Amino acid sequence: MSRYHSHINSTVEILSVYHGEEPFTSFLKKYFAQHKKFGSRDRKQVSHLCYCYFRLGKALPAVPMDERILLGAFLSAHSSNELLRELKPAWDDAVSMSPGKKIKLAGYTLTARDIFPWQDELSMDIEKDAFSFSHAQQPDLFLRIRPGMEKTVKEKLGKSGTAYKLVSDSCIALPNASKIDAVLELDKDAVVQDYSSQRVGELMELVGQGEEDPINGENDRVRRRQSDPLRVWDCCAASGGKSIMVSDILGDIDLFVSDVRESILENLEDRFERAGLENYERFVADLSKPVDVFLPSFNLVIADVPCTGSGTWGRTPEQLHYFDPEKISRYATLQKSIIETAAAQMEPGGYFLYITCSVFKKENEEQVDFLEEKFHLQVVNMELLKGYDKKADTMFAALLKKPL
């Protein structure tokens, strides 16, 4: 038996005992620790084949697993590789073809709905075929360069010989497996942050610019400069990426951060220290219930709410394969309770920035409808941040304003 067949057989064995209960990276780490027969090259190849299998999503359930693994490897390949060259040489010659042509060559009937069955649940601006087939590719690693660190970051990357692409003045794309923490001081020089997540900063900039008061004819940003700094609450702060970004964009702010887990906030503190953020207050809060701590009113509430994560499944394709669609409604209910609690803390004229990494309308546009109806907020800007054509995540963001 060739080592390529051995890799396929090992992949089948692993997939037969994994059922989606935990992140696949965690499962694989434990599996390889228990099965010492795999060398580093074997681990890398078998891991890759497992992810190729998951990238087919729900498609072709009646096809034998080893065939699905090979098809997934074919659809995911963009350059010639040893396994296809040995087992499927005609496929290896066609790796540069479009997904549709690859599928036709392979002799399978495979549609976007086969890969991603929940087409009717998608947000309105999603191009369904392009999005569904994008799961065949591994997204890039993206960095957001901190203000004033542009020269430093480029010099460090250049000296290390790290391959990168400059997407914008502050955004860098690298191959996903790049060991960037050995090159840069992360959080100080640059922040690991997906391209679409960085684009949320465009909505934060709108808050900084302010809008004209239609009654008094004043710009609300001008009025703020004459008073206290903006009060900003990142209410589902997690690791703090949005907090660091809003501080970089809006400058002098009074920052409040909260999350439901104390352990997350402890990690956030470490990250803020590396980033040089000192002026902030943190507290634990379960926003699915009324807040039991005193809070001021806020000029900006950032709600990057828990969600299905369906816009990020290119990074974790096992979630695509094992997804239970009932989770859409469960998350939508949780999101409503969180934003209802958080939006109540807005001051008149304040902003609410709603964010998900979901592609489902129940988690996106329908929650904006809820904010408009429940709190009479007005949409300033709303956008589906498409990443599936840029090897990035897909996100949704909406900036709303409370009337004065």
Side-chain angles (χ1 to χ4, degrees):
M1 179 189 300
S2 73
R3 62 189 172 97
Y4 306 106
H5 285 103
S6 177
H7 287 156
I8 294 288
N9 291 341
S10 294
T11 303
V12 170
E13 181 180 328
I14 290 171
L15 294 172
S16 298
V17 295
Y18 174 72
H19 304 293
E21 300 92 345
E22 63 179 313
F24 190 60
T25 52
S26 301
F27 175 86
L28 265 185
K29 186 176 180 179
K30 297 173 187 174
Y31 186 91
F32 287 141
Q34 294 171 357
H35 298 78
K36 306 292 187 181
K37 65 178 182 178
F38 295 98
S40 60
R41 188 176 179 182
D42 295 327
R43 291 195 299 270
K44 182 177 181 180
Q45 180 65 26
V46 170
S47 299
H48 171 69
L49 290 174
C50 288
Y51 281 110
C52 289
Y53 171 83
F54 291 136
R55 292 186 186 284
L56 288 179
K58 302 288 189 179
L60 306 174
V63 173
M65 188 177 286
D66 57 346
E67 291 185 30
R68 294 171 72 191
I69 292 167
L70 272 173
L71 179 61
F74 180 37
L75 292 181
S76 301
H78 297 286
S79 60
S80 175
N81 66 73
E82 293 180 2
L83 182 138
L84 288 178
R85 197 157 55 244
E86 174 70 20
L87 301 182
K88 291 285 187 178
W91 292 7
D92 189 63
D93 291 338
V95 289
S96 61
M97 285 184 175
S98 67
K101 289 182 178 179
K102 285 182 176 181
I103 292 164
K104 186 176 181 180
L105 173 65
Y108 293 96
T109 300
L110 184 62
T111 67
R113 190 177 289 272
D114 292 326
I115 294 173
F116 196 95
W118 315 284
Q119 303 281 307
D120 298 336
E121 299 282 352
L122 289 171
S123 284
M124 62 181 76
D125 291 332
I126 293 279
E127 290 123 352
K128 296 177 179 179
D129 282 7
F131 168 71
S132 299
F133 284 106
S134 73
H135 290 92
Q137 64 181 357
Q138 168 73 45
D140 282 337
L141 173 69
F142 292 90
L143 300 177
R144 181 178 64 83
I145 305 174
R146 301 286 307 281
M149 302 304 291
E150 293 86 354
K151 183 178 178 181
T152 298
V153 168
K154 291 174 185 177
E155 285 180 351
K156 288 183 176 180
L157 291 173
K159 287 179 181 178
S160 68
T162 303
Y164 70 92
K165 179 174 68 176
L166 196 62
V167 180
S168 70
D169 290 342
S170 60
C171 180
I172 283 176
L174 307 99
N176 190 266
S178 301
K179 304 295 184 184
I180 203 66
D181 54 346
V183 179
L184 301 175
E185 292 186 70
L186 291 180
D187 297 324
K188 179 182 177 182
D189 296 338
V191 176
V192 175
Q193 191 167 38
D194 183 77
Y195 169 77
S196 295
S197 184
Q198 292 185 44
R199 288 202 55 210
V200 173
E202 297 169 14
L203 301 187
M204 295 176 178
E205 289 172 357
L206 294 178
V207 176
Q209 294 165 7
E211 296 181 331
E212 186 175 286
D213 181 338
I215 298 176
N216 300 313
E218 292 182 279
N219 183 285
D220 56 10
R221 181 58 177 164
V222 173
R223 293 199 303 277
R224 291 191 201 117
R225 290 198 190 103
Q226 299 169 351
S227 59
D228 295 330
L230 288 173
R231 289 184 302 280
V232 177
W233 179 22
D234 188 353
C235 68
C236 301
S239 62
K242 299 295 189 306
S243 290
I244 297 173
M245 184 162 65
V246 76
S247 297
D248 286 346
I249 290 172
L250 297 183
D252 184 23
I253 60 175
D254 286 338
L255 177 64
F256 292 71
V257 293
S258 64
D259 198 89
V260 71
R261 297 154 292 180
E262 174 65 32
S263 60
I264 289 293
L265 292 177
E266 290 173 357
N267 293 333
L268 176 147
E269 279 196 339
D270 293 338
R271 192 176 187 194
F272 278 11
E273 183 176 353
R274 294 193 297 271
L277 265 66
E278 298 177 348
N279 183 28
Y280 68 94
E281 295 186 32
R282 49 152 279 197
F283 59 97
V284 175
D286 179 358
L287 298 184
S288 64
K289 308 168 186 175
V291 179
D292 58 2
V293 296
F294 171 77
L295 291 174
S297 57
F298 292 96
N299 304 107
L300 170 62
V301 176
I302 301 171
D304 189 353
V305 295
C307 68
T308 56
S310 46
T312 69
W313 288 347
R315 299 186 188 277
T316 55
E318 71 272 21
Q319 296 189 44
L320 168 66
H321 182 80
Y322 284 104
F323 182 63
D324 177 359
E326 291 184 3
K327 288 184 178 180
I328 301 173
S329 294
R330 292 205 295 269
Y331 272 110
T333 299
L334 174 61
Q335 290 157 2
K336 276 192 173 67
S337 62
I338 290 173
I339 61 181
E340 189 167 10
T341 299
Q345 300 299 136
M346 298 172 65
E347 71 167 20
Y351 293 87
F352 193 94
L353 180 53
Y354 178 76
I355 307 163
T356 76
C357 50
S358 172
V359 294
F360 296 127
K361 58 191 173 187
K362 280 188 175 125
E363 300 184 274
N364 296 340
E365 294 92 343
E366 291 185 17
Q367 301 295 20
V368 173
D369 293 342
F370 173 73
L371 283 165
E372 289 180 298
E373 295 166 8
K374 176 76 176 182
F375 294 97
H376 309 292
L377 304 187
Q378 300 167 350
V379 175
V380 176
N381 198 352
M382 179 173 71
E383 189 169 357
L384 183 79
L385 303 168
K386 301 174 185 177
Y388 50 84
D389 58 347
K390 301 174 182 68
K391 296 189 73 176
D393 298 338
T394 293
M395 299 181 64
F396 176 86
L399 182 67
L400 302 97
K401 187 173 183 182
K402 184 175 182 178
L404 293 167

